[in-house]
Amino acid sequence: MDLADLKTRALVDPERGLVSREIFVDPTLYAAELERIFATQWLFVGHVSQVRRPGDFVVSRMGEESVLLVRDVDGELHVFLNSCRHRGMQVCRYDQGNASEFACPYHGWTYDTKGRLGAVPALREGYFSELELAEWGLVEARVAELKGSIWACWDAATPGLEDWLGDARIWIEEFFTVPDVGVGELELIAGVQKWTLPCNWKFGAENFSGDNYHNVSHASVDQLALSPSGKAGRHQYDAIPQKPVLQNIAYAATGHSGRGALYPPGFDFLSAYAAVPELHAYYRRAYAAREQQLGERARMVPHGGTIFPNMSFSNGRTSIALWHPAGPETCEVWRFYFVPEYAPAAVKDHLRRYVIRYQGPSGLTEEDDMENWNLAHRASRGTIARRHPYHMAMGLGHELAAGSEPWIARGGTVMEGVSEQNQRGYYRRWAQLMGVL
Amino acid sequence: MSGPDNAALARLLRAREAEEFLYREAGLLDRREFTAWLDLLADDVRYFMPLRRNVPSLAPAEEWTREGQDVAWFDEGKDVLAMRVTQLHTGVHWAEEPPSRTCHLVSNVLLMDDSGPEWEVHSHFIFYRSRMERETDLLAGRREDALRPTPQGLRLARRRVLIDHNVLPIKNLTNFF
Ligand code: FES
Ligand SMILES: [Fe+2]
């Protein structure tokens, strides 16, 4: 497909709720995504608990590219392209560690934690001291931190993180707020799950943006008592007797979205952890504190969402998934799991075991998602298949400017129950950035 | 026969018994006799598959995530393993519906220590999975097991599955290792 020709093709039609299969399989479009989306948008790269001390670093990823997230000797955060300015070698091949410098193993150019080029072998006899060290530091991205989450962006013209998040910012702030809305932060459980998914990177991002419709995928796990509620079901909240109204919130300007559950007044949030006394007690306290701080709004319990383009968050089973592009047909998923920093050890342990058995490639729930996305992708590659767009029109035209409570939408549009509003918003933003809308 | 010879022979028999246990177990998994496989696990079994990180060779302590503390691929007991088997038997576990064809190749079996109430047995494995028409997956690694002799025969009391992958090359881990 020729990029110049893009506008003439109906790749995304938000008015009819149609999305062409081309955008999942076409290599030219994929290359354009790396330039127009991954090189311009803010991308989640890590969490402060990974880089607490000066010199701490982790290798992260932006688009297809390896980057280094480093806290420098003075405590400032940096994100560098993990590639030597001399001839491109990765300056760091370790997943994490603490370092005072990054020495390239190819010819020995050495960078400090601020990315400055310091030592260069044969600087005098080889370069006749004519190499301007100050001009050849590591390529650096913009960095921003929001409640412990760390983001980076390559494009100087993109608004700052908080403006870029726009009204969806409250979802990120709430996600990174500990359940009792009190002391401490979320803390990353050590170890980031990384795995390969044979499908386009947008499948996961889209699913987490608002696919409340795919419950049938998880019919097998709903028969088990997977959650700490002690009752059949995979979510801790499945056991809550009062039934909520699902809320989908889409932010038209940014493509971000959130999902949550609005419970009737006076609901008993605590029954969600009844099988585990320590968890039950912790969340009882947490909910009381939450209610005290948020009042009525505590009844709206976030479930998760997607920050455009590739960061999804899940509340409850507190985790973040990054859907890294790795070619049009391959996604590399990274999943980070969190627990409240100052929760009792027994609580942290139960939460850790719950998230591991729920999510990721070994999680009883997510195993089935991967199968569906894999085969959906594969079945969309064919010549005939590509002529037929995906249908995303559920609820089209019924979006509400405000939900049943005035504070729910807060800058977005709302749909209750099952809907594909959030996915339409996601692909509208995709099409705008790609220049095809 | 003299004493030392008897001891050596007894050890050989135990090594053989351990090896046969692992082969039988692999056969149960590949024939999808999951309930019979569960019966081979001690009620207090610990089943652990850590994540593997790229770390400096001079600082190997960080290479594996830690059991009972960190994120892992698996870190669970018989309750969750039994849930996995129940899920496989629902008929609507789409990641295994239709079921994968698997082949567990077990080798390099070594009885490391049989002096205690549990035998420490190490082995290597290649896990091959074929799915649907042409889907083919491969995982390689080794296992550190504790086998417990009981009146009913050996039981698996602990398994550490150490795979060689940093980024898991397959879409999911719906099978046992
Ligand atoms: S590529 Fe890094 S020093 Fe040459
Ligand atoms: Fe799902």
Side-chain angles (χ1 to χ4, degrees):
Chain A
M1 178 178 293
D2 184 357
L3 270 184
D5 181 44
L6 280 182
K7 269 198 192 301
T8 67
R9 307 281 299 265
L11 293 176
V12 174
D13 184 348
E15 264 59 63
R16 292 166 66 211
L18 303 178
V19 172
S20 167
R21 300 185 187 207
E22 292 287 351
I23 80 168
F24 299 88
V25 297
D26 182 85
T28 312
L29 284 170
Y30 175 78
E33 283 178 330
L34 296 181
E35 280 190 30
R36 298 179 186 191
I37 295 174
F38 286 94
T40 67
Q41 301 300 291
W42 284 96
L43 303 171
F44 177 91
V45 290
H47 185 258
V48 282
S49 57
Q50 295 178 282
V51 282
R52 287 255 186 244
R53 299 164 304 155
D56 279 356
F57 70 85
V58 286
V59 163
S60 188
R61 191 170 154 136
M62 296 171 72
E64 285 199 1
E65 294 170 292
S66 175
V67 297
L68 261 173
L69 167 59
V70 187
R71 191 178 289 280
D72 74 21
V73 285
D74 298 319
E76 295 286 312
L77 290 173
H78 301 269
V79 171
F80 303 117
L81 192 66
N82 186 9
S83 178
C84 182
R85 293 297 301 280
H86 177 234
R87 211 78 99 246
M89 174 63 186
Q90 282 199 16
V91 295
C92 181
R93 277 128 349 109
Y94 304 126
D95 291 343
Q96 60 180 59
N98 186 278
S100 55
E101 58 179 35
F102 299 95
C104 178
Y106 196 175
H107 311 93
W109 284 25
T110 298
Y111 305 86
D112 68 11
T113 54
K114 294 177 188 295
R116 296 178 301 205
L117 180 60
V120 172
L123 186 57
R124 201 171 318 150
E125 63 276 32
Y127 287 99
F128 300 92
S129 300
E130 290 164 359
L131 180 65
E132 279 298 338
L133 298 186
E135 287 170 20
W136 294 93
L138 292 174
V139 176
E140 184 163 7
R142 299 164 67 194
V143 187
E145 189 187 328
L146 181 61
K147 286 192 74 94
S149 64
I150 306 171
W151 305 71
C153 173
W154 293 117
D155 193 339
T158 301
L161 176 67
E162 294 184 7
D163 288 337
W164 175 87
L165 281 170
D167 294 306
R169 175 183 158 178
I170 49 170
W171 291 84
I172 291 304
E173 289 180 338
E174 171 134 15
F175 178 85
F176 283 102
T177 300
V178 286
D180 58 9
V181 295
V183 262
E185 294 176 350
L186 285 187
E187 169 185 276
L188 185 80
I189 314 174
V192 178
Q193 286 185 339
K194 302 176 183 178
W195 75 102
T196 311
L197 195 47
C199 70
N200 186 272
W201 64 274
K202 293 187 287 301
F203 276 96
E206 167 204 313
N207 178 282
F208 276 74
S209 81
D211 194 345
N212 290 317
Y213 194 40
H214 81 284
N215 264 350
V216 63
S217 293
H218 303 304
S220 65
V221 73
D222 282 336
Q223 298 178 30
L224 314 169
L226 185 73
S227 88
S229 72
K231 302 237 175 83
R234 64 188 190 275
H235 306 112
Q236 75 278 23
Y237 50 75
D238 288 341
I240 298 175
Q242 297 94 328
K243 287 301 149 214
V245 181
L246 293 179
Q247 310 284 320
N248 302 284
I249 292 110
Y251 301 92
T254 56
H256 310 318
S257 62
R259 304 172 270 121
L262 181 69
Y263 286 90
F267 85 104
D268 180 13
F269 182 75
L270 303 162
S271 55
Y273 298 94
V276 185
E278 296 96 333
L279 271 179
H280 188 79
Y282 176 76
Y283 279 100
R284 179 198 295 279
R285 283 198 309 276
Y287 191 67
R290 184 179 153 84
E291 235 177 352
Q292 200 159 24
Q293 182 158 333
L294 298 180
E296 242 238 308
R297 285 156 62 157
R299 292 193 286 122
M300 172 74 174
V301 177
H303 284 184
T306 291
I307 300 300
F308 186 92
N310 73 329
M311 184 273 211
S312 296
F313 56 101
S314 306
N315 303 63
R317 303 157 311 282
T318 314
S319 78
I320 283 174
L322 301 180
W323 315 99
H324 295 299
E329 317 252 300
T330 310
C331 175
E332 186 175 307
V333 196
W334 288 20
R335 198 180 269 290
F336 302 71
Y337 298 99
F338 299 88
V339 286
E341 188 179 14
Y342 293 121
V347 168
K348 287 186 183 187
D349 188 53
H350 281 294
L351 291 174
R352 181 182 66 85
R353 286 188 279 131
Y354 177 38
V355 292
I356 294 177
R357 68 178 180 259
Y358 190 105
Q359 290 189 297
S362 50
L364 283 82
T365 303
E366 215 158 60
E367 288 168 349
D368 293 321
D369 288 321
M370 262 92 73
E371 176 80 353
N372 286 335
W373 303 336
N374 176 192
L375 297 188
H377 180 103
R378 199 194 297 170
S380 299
R381 294 174 56 193
T383 303
I384 305 302
R386 289 194 202 192
R387 293 177 190 165
H388 300 277
Y390 292 148
H391 188 266
M392 301 194 181
M394 182 189 282
L396 186 68
H398 299 273
E399 296 85 353
L400 306 169
S404 51
E405 302 290 349
W407 38 264
I408 285 175
R410 291 178 285 184
T413 53
V414 185
M415 287 209 73
E416 296 185 341
V418 290
S419 154
E420 281 160 352
Q421 167 198 250
N422 291 9
Q423 292 94 317
R424 287 192 294 276
Y426 179 89
Y427 287 113
R428 180 193 289 274
R429 181 63 178 151
W430 180 92
Q432 281 171 347
L433 286 170
M434 292 288 283
V436 299
L437 199 67
Chain B
M1 209 181 267
S2 66
D5 287 339
N6 276 338
L9 188 59
R11 192 172 192 287
L12 195 64
L13 288 172
R14 283 196 290 272
R16 182 72 194 95
E17 193 184 346
E19 201 176 7
E20 191 168 312
F21 176 88
L22 296 181
Y23 296 159
R24 281 186 190 285
E25 188 206 348
L28 289 176
L29 291 177
D30 292 341
R31 291 195 304 276
R32 302 180 198 133
E33 295 178 34
F34 300 116
T35 307
W37 178 75
L38 273 184
D39 290 340
L40 291 183
L41 311 184
D43 288 341
D44 59 345
V45 66
R46 290 303 309 166
Y47 187 83
F48 175 59
M49 188 197 282
L51 308 185
R52 193 162 199 174
R53 301 187 186 101
N54 296 306
V55 296
S57 55
L58 300 179
E62 287 282 290
E63 182 168 7
W64 302 101
T65 54
R66 298 161 300 177
E67 187 169 357
Q69 292 185 59
D70 300 338
V71 175
W73 299 120
F74 298 96
D75 188 355
E76 59 204 41
K78 199 164 184 175
D79 51 344
V80 178
L81 292 168
M83 262 191 236
R84 293 181 186 279
V85 169
T86 306
Q87 188 183 24
L88 287 164
H89 290 153
T90 58
V92 289
H93 181 21
W94 310 116
E96 283 292 330
E97 196 62 41
S100 306
R101 283 87 54 180
T102 68
C103 188
H104 290 74
L105 294 169
V106 179
S107 77
N108 306 28
V109 181
L110 273 180
L111 179 60
M112 303 298 288
D113 185 358
D114 60 348
S115 61
E118 289 173 358
W119 306 347
E120 197 182 328
V121 180
H122 291 188
S123 60
H124 291 226
F125 69 91
I126 290 178
F127 167 77
Y128 172 86
R129 176 168 75 179
S130 171
R131 178 155 185 72
M132 300 292 286
E133 289 88 9
R134 280 170 298 279
E135 213 178 312
T136 302
D137 292 322
L138 211 50
L139 281 186
R142 60 196 168 84
R143 303 183 300 192
E144 297 172 359
D145 293 340
L147 302 184
R148 184 184 299 157
T150 75
Q152 293 75 40
L154 290 175
R155 291 290 178 268
L156 183 69
R158 191 187 70 239
R159 170 160 289 168
R160 296 165 56 83
V161 185
L162 306 172
I163 56 170
D164 288 344
H165 311 270
N166 176 256
V167 177
L168 194 69
I170 66 179
K171 67 182 173 188
N172 56 23
L173 294 166
T174 47
N175 311 92
F176 300 105
F177 301 95

